[in-house]
Amino acid sequence: MSTTVPKKITLRTADNHEFEVDEAVAMELGTVKTFFDENPDATDEPIPLPNVSSKCLSTIIEYCKFHLSLRARGNDSSSAEEEGKVYDEELIKTHDNESLVELILAVNYLNIKDMLDTLNQGVADRIKNKSVEYVRRFFGIENDYTPEEEAEIRAQYEWAFEGVDPDDD
Amino acid sequence: SDNFFPGGSIYPNPKESSLFFSLGHHVDVYFPHQKRSRISPPIVFSGERVEKKNPSIEILPDECLFEIFRRLPGGQERSSCACVSKRWLTLVSNIHRDEINDNNKGGVVSKVEDQDVEGDGYLSRVLEGKKATNVRLAAIAVGTASRGGLGKLSIRGSNSTCGVTNVGLRAISRGCPSLRVLSLWDSSSVGDEGLFEIADGCHQLEKLDLCHCPAITDKSLLAVAKGCPNLKDLTIEGCANIENEGLQALARCCPNLKAISIKDCPLIGDQGIVSMLSSASFTLTKIKLQALNITDVSLAVIGHYGKAVTDLSLISLPNVSEKGFWVMGNGHGLQKLKSFAVTSCRGVTDLGLEAVGKGCPNLKQLCLHKCAFLSDKG
């Protein structure tokens, strides 16, 4: 339980950066919270997060802080919600595919549900209404269908290829 | 308040290290280990796997991709994702209809396809021989889900190398809740698990046709009985592991069962037929029994309980005797019987036939084939 002086928790990333954050922020990270739930008398040593880079972690901490403060404001929910949305959109916009993927991995590992939802939605929005080739190129995916299989599947889905956005790369 | 401590990092600047990464890529020996943790979460510091490409969406674990696909607004998007790679197809096909996130209503795209009333199930698909693979099943599941839904699915045989298995049926179960007719022929690699999935996801099933599926047992029928109360029509042929208990369960749980056809199932005997007839006495209209070990007892029960039966066909029943036919005719249950066909049954004699004739006032059509002991008198 937090005392009068907010407790600080130190997190260490894969590339050996250390981040000191308020306990409340750290508790937003599901994985960290579970750790403390299971080890209530854990020492003040930095918690290693071997799957998270410092770049990701700083983004994640920003996110958690922002949403914590929104929630702290409580009742004027509509404007808070609106701000949250704007923030989330901005978050998606400022990340390219690679860093978005990286961020999802980190957030998935840290188990932050809301943020993961936001990010996943962001990727879904990038996929939607794009051609298959575009998606493959865009995300660097290998096509493992045989030509025959692909033809068959495409025939099955013919309708799905009407009206996709023109590839813009 | 929350300070950023550069700490004792080997790489003072993450940007630089990623540059390093792309160079080190070609010089395997020189590959710095720590860097890899950045992109291969499940196997920290293990190396090997990551060498070939930059972090792509492919390194996301299945559950993440699943979450992403779940958020796609329409069937169209999901279908085209399914075309991207097999892994995507598998994932997309595993999305249950209920799990699709509909928060996107009123989004940028609103295609005509999305407005189709889902669940009509007017589409039908047939997979034959070489084409019967899980990939195609999954493709069908995803492709038909938002275009009216799959109503009929027939699988004939199975690809020898990568045939239809339970996985394929799972995709169907998830994507095609409107399925009404399922027909599985010569699918040796489909087992109970597959039918469990169907029973779990396709509650509208009305017709089930299993032919030469040796891995399917009573457990499947029990599951279908529980999951598909609308079942009307059941055909089982050459399924060596289906026993009486399965039939009993179906008869008990499926009040709409109208037609059964059972052929060449060595483990099905009188007990199964008896319980079927006695439970579904008022609904069963068509019965076809062929190459079974049933005896006079079954015929007696049909004669007594077959009150709604209009069509009865008995073929190659070596253990049925004259007495069976006689009792059937005298059971006075077959009041509605219109069409009666008997082929290769030693038990049909003049006496038996006479009894049937008397017991079935509405009989209009009678076909007799290969009945050696019958004279003109009958």
Side-chain angles (χ1 to χ4, degrees):
Chain A
M1 282 282 126
S2 57
T3 48
T4 40
V5 183
K7 200 181 150 192
K8 298 278 183 183
I9 287 172
T10 309
L11 307 169
R12 186 195 289 139
T13 60
D15 42 354
N16 266 325
H17 289 296
E18 290 189 354
F19 290 76
E20 199 186 51
V21 296
D22 284 341
E23 190 186 27
V25 174
M27 288 306 133
E28 289 291 292
L29 316 182
T31 309
V32 175
K33 186 173 187 304
T34 314
F35 173 77
F36 277 103
D37 287 347
E38 284 168 7
N39 309 285
D41 37 51
T43 54
D44 288 343
E45 273 178 39
I47 297 172
L49 301 173
N51 294 331
V52 184
S53 72
S54 54
K55 197 171 98 201
C56 288
L57 190 61
S58 57
T59 312
I60 290 167
I61 289 174
E62 282 301 314
Y63 176 93
C64 290
K65 274 194 205 162
F66 182 78
H67 279 267
L68 263 181
S69 70
L70 277 189
R71 261 180 283 155
R73 274 163 47 192
N75 286 340
D76 61 337
S77 54
S78 64
S79 76
E81 206 173 284
E82 200 50 44
E83 272 182 60
K85 252 186 204 159
V86 172
Y87 184 91
D88 290 353
E89 273 166 25
E90 199 56 36
L91 176 78
I92 303 292
K93 249 187 252 166
T94 49
H95 284 78
D96 63 4
N97 288 330
E98 279 184 22
S99 50
L100 204 54
V101 163
E102 221 183 304
L103 203 52
I104 289 178
L105 278 177
V107 172
N108 185 48
Y109 167 74
L110 291 174
N111 193 10
I112 312 165
K113 197 180 166 300
D114 290 349
M115 189 172 182
L116 192 58
D117 286 348
T118 302
L119 295 172
N120 284 338
Q121 185 65 56
V123 177
D125 290 344
R126 286 190 189 182
I127 294 174
K128 76 180 178 200
N129 227 28
K130 296 288 189 287
S131 77
V132 176
E133 291 78 11
Y134 178 84
V135 174
R136 279 190 197 133
R137 261 201 317 273
F138 196 56
F139 291 104
I141 297 165
E142 249 170 82
N143 175 16
D144 57 356
Y145 286 118
T146 64
E148 196 194 11
E149 277 172 335
E150 189 171 348
E152 172 82 15
I153 283 174
R154 280 176 178 257
Q156 189 66 247
Y157 295 148
E158 215 166 329
W159 60 284
F161 302 111
E162 294 154 13
V164 295
D165 293 347
D167 299 354
D168 54 359
D169 67 327
Chain B
S1 57
D2 297 341
N3 288 321
F4 179 88
F5 289 109
S9 170
I10 311 171
Y11 309 108
N13 178 344
K15 281 267 162 51
E16 253 173 61
S17 58
S18 60
L19 196 73
F20 195 48
F21 171 67
S22 60
L23 287 173
H25 182 222
H26 303 287
V27 195
D28 279 333
V29 200
Y30 202 53
F31 204 88
H33 265 239
Q34 290 85 339
K35 196 62 217 120
R36 294 177 191 181
S37 62
R38 185 179 144 189
I39 45 173
S40 63
I43 34 161
V44 187
F45 301 134
S46 78
E48 282 164 44
R49 210 179 92 161
V50 198
E51 319 233 332
K52 63 181 181 200
K53 51 189 162 184
N54 293 322
S56 99
I57 199 166
E58 286 292 78
I59 59 165
L60 287 181
D62 285 355
E63 72 257 25
C64 281
L65 279 176
F66 185 90
E67 286 294 320
I68 291 170
F69 297 147
R70 209 161 70 83
R71 290 179 164 71
L72 291 169
Q76 187 186 24
E77 275 81 19
R78 280 189 293 282
S79 295
S80 79
C81 276
C83 294
V84 168
S85 73
K86 281 182 186 168
R87 181 182 174 213
W88 283 36
L89 171 66
T90 313
L91 285 169
V92 172
S93 69
N94 272 322
I95 300 177
H96 198 279
R97 178 183 292 257
D98 303 340
E99 291 169 335
I100 289 168
N101 194 330
D102 272 342
N103 290 343
N104 270 340
K105 276 176 188 156
V108 196
V109 277
S110 71
K111 294 268 169 268
V112 189
E113 285 88 355
D114 294 339
Q115 290 156 12
D116 281 351
V117 184
E118 295 196 3
D120 270 347
Y122 62 85
L123 298 169
S124 65
R125 292 283 182 275
V126 180
L127 289 181
E128 274 180 274
K130 204 167 66 161
K131 289 188 171 177
T133 64
N134 283 335
V135 170
R136 289 206 168 80
L137 272 187
I140 288 173
V142 179
T144 55
S146 40
R147 268 202 307 165
L150 186 69
K152 270 171 99 166
L153 175 67
S154 307
I155 300 168
R156 307 271 181 262
S158 193
N159 187 298
S160 48
T161 48
C162 48
V164 170
T165 65
N166 300 329
V167 179
L169 288 188
R170 180 163 67 216
I172 294 293
S173 147
R174 301 274 161 93
C176 313
S178 56
L179 191 69
R180 288 195 313 272
V181 180
L182 174 66
S183 156
L184 271 176
W185 290 8
D186 300 310
S187 304
S188 55
S189 42
V190 172
D192 290 331
E193 294 288 332
L195 268 283
F196 291 169
E197 296 285 356
I198 294 292
D200 199 34
C202 308
H203 302 299
Q204 319 242 21
L205 198 67
E206 288 171 10
K207 188 172 175 183
L208 179 63
D209 175 3
L210 303 171
C211 182
H212 296 292
C213 300
I216 287 177
T217 73
D218 272 353
K219 287 180 192 153
S220 289
L221 293 196
L222 288 171
V224 169
K226 287 206 184 90
C228 314
N230 294 329
L231 196 71
K232 290 192 180 108
D233 192 323
L234 174 71
T235 304
I236 307 172
E237 182 179 337
C239 296
N241 288 310
I242 291 183
E243 300 175 47
N244 295 321
E245 208 187 317
L247 290 188
Q248 278 166 10
L250 282 177
R252 235 189 357 256
C253 303
C254 304
N256 299 314
L257 201 59
K258 285 196 173 63
I260 52 165
S261 164
I262 304 169
K263 180 180 174 187
D264 200 15
C265 297
L267 296 180
I268 287 181
D270 289 328
Q271 212 196 337
I273 306 300
V274 168
S275 58
M276 193 136 226
L277 262 297
S278 52
S279 307
S281 175
F282 295 100
T283 54
L284 266 181
T285 54
K286 290 184 183 178
I287 301 177
K288 183 178 173 188
L289 303 172
Q290 183 172 1
L292 299 172
N293 295 323
I294 56 170
T295 68
D296 295 341
V297 176
S298 286
L299 292 206
V301 170
I302 293 173
H304 186 74
Y305 285 109
K307 296 191 171 70
V309 176
T310 58
D311 296 76
L312 179 63
S313 171
L314 303 170
I315 304 161
S316 305
L317 303 171
N319 299 326
V320 171
S321 72
E322 179 181 34
K323 212 170 92 191
F325 284 93
W326 187 84
V327 177
M328 186 168 79
N330 284 307
H332 298 295
L334 295 170
Q335 300 294 320
K336 292 189 176 157
L337 191 68
K338 283 198 201 103
S339 163
F340 183 42
V342 186
T343 307
S344 304
C345 289
R346 288 184 308 140
V348 179
T349 62
D350 297 346
L351 185 66
L353 206 57
E354 197 188 333
V356 172
K358 279 185 186 153
C360 309
N362 289 311
L363 194 62
K364 292 205 174 80
Q365 215 178 8
L366 180 65
C367 297
L368 300 168
H369 286 288
K370 298 180 194 162
C371 297
F373 302 97
L374 201 60
S375 74
D376 289 345
K377 204 178 130 204

